[in-house]
Amino acid sequence: MYNRYRNLISRHPFLLAWFSFDGRVNRMQYFLRSLALGAVWILAVAIAWYGTNALFNLKMDILGYILTAAFLLAALLIVIADNSLMARRLHDMGYRAAPIMCLVYGITFVSPAIDRLLGASGWVTNAVSIFNLAVTCYLFLGKGEDKR
């Protein structure tokens, strides 16, 4: 499966730039591509939110479901592009991406369950949000290695 994915994107420069987990990106490339992905995400959410509300209010349920499915596909593509960008930035900083990304996403996905076990006060989820913000700031501000 992974080799098929790698073969597909290696033949297309656009796909290689946005969906490859190999290589490196410097701080400026990471910043600009993160801004672009953020803008695409905001646009996708706006279209999905207003579009589905309008379609369901007009009793065009099937079109609302189609728009929802299109949004879910766009969200998946944005997440893959964002993860590949994070992996390449971590490579540029001299780290192996897989363990760090597993740690970040593992903590993020497990935190609501831990919060619930500890009384659902919300402090665990807030702490994880601050942790994710710190990781993002580190990726933006951290110095990359020399490519020697």
Side-chain angles (χ1 to χ4, degrees):
M1 174 85 175
Y2 181 71
N3 287 333
R4 230 184 285 161
Y5 175 78
R6 181 178 278 183
N7 289 337
L8 172 72
I9 65 170
S10 66
R11 287 181 268 150
H12 304 286
F14 175 79
L15 295 176
L16 192 61
W18 287 96
F19 297 103
S20 174
F21 285 81
D22 298 327
R24 302 167 169 239
V25 292
N26 62 28
R27 284 184 279 201
M28 183 58 74
Q29 289 172 327
Y30 182 74
F31 178 72
L32 293 176
R33 289 182 184 179
S34 293
L35 283 178
L37 285 173
V40 169
W41 177 251
I42 290 171
L43 180 67
V45 168
I47 290 171
W49 180 262
Y50 293 113
T52 54
N53 284 340
L55 291 171
F56 285 127
N57 287 339
L58 293 173
K59 305 294 185 222
M60 299 176 147
D61 291 345
I62 189 69
L63 292 177
Y65 292 126
I66 291 171
L67 185 60
T68 303
F71 168 74
L72 291 174
L73 178 64
L76 178 66
L77 291 175
I78 291 169
V79 166
I80 292 171
D82 188 50
N83 285 335
S84 76
L85 192 60
M86 180 194 284
R88 287 183 285 155
R89 181 68 186 130
L90 286 167
H91 291 161
D92 184 54
M93 296 171 73
Y95 299 111
R96 291 186 55 203
I100 294 173
M101 290 175 68
C102 287
L103 174 72
V104 169
Y105 285 113
I107 290 172
T108 302
F109 291 135
V110 172
S111 67
I114 294 171
D115 192 47
R116 173 85 37 132
L117 287 173
L118 296 177
S121 62
W123 71 269
V124 174
T125 307
N126 292 338
V128 169
S129 296
I130 291 170
F131 171 74
N132 287 338
L133 179 63
V135 168
T136 301
C137 289
Y138 181 67
L139 289 173
F140 277 127
L141 302 174
K143 187 167 176 12
E145 284 187 333
D146 290 334
K147 294 183 183 179
R148 298 179 224 188

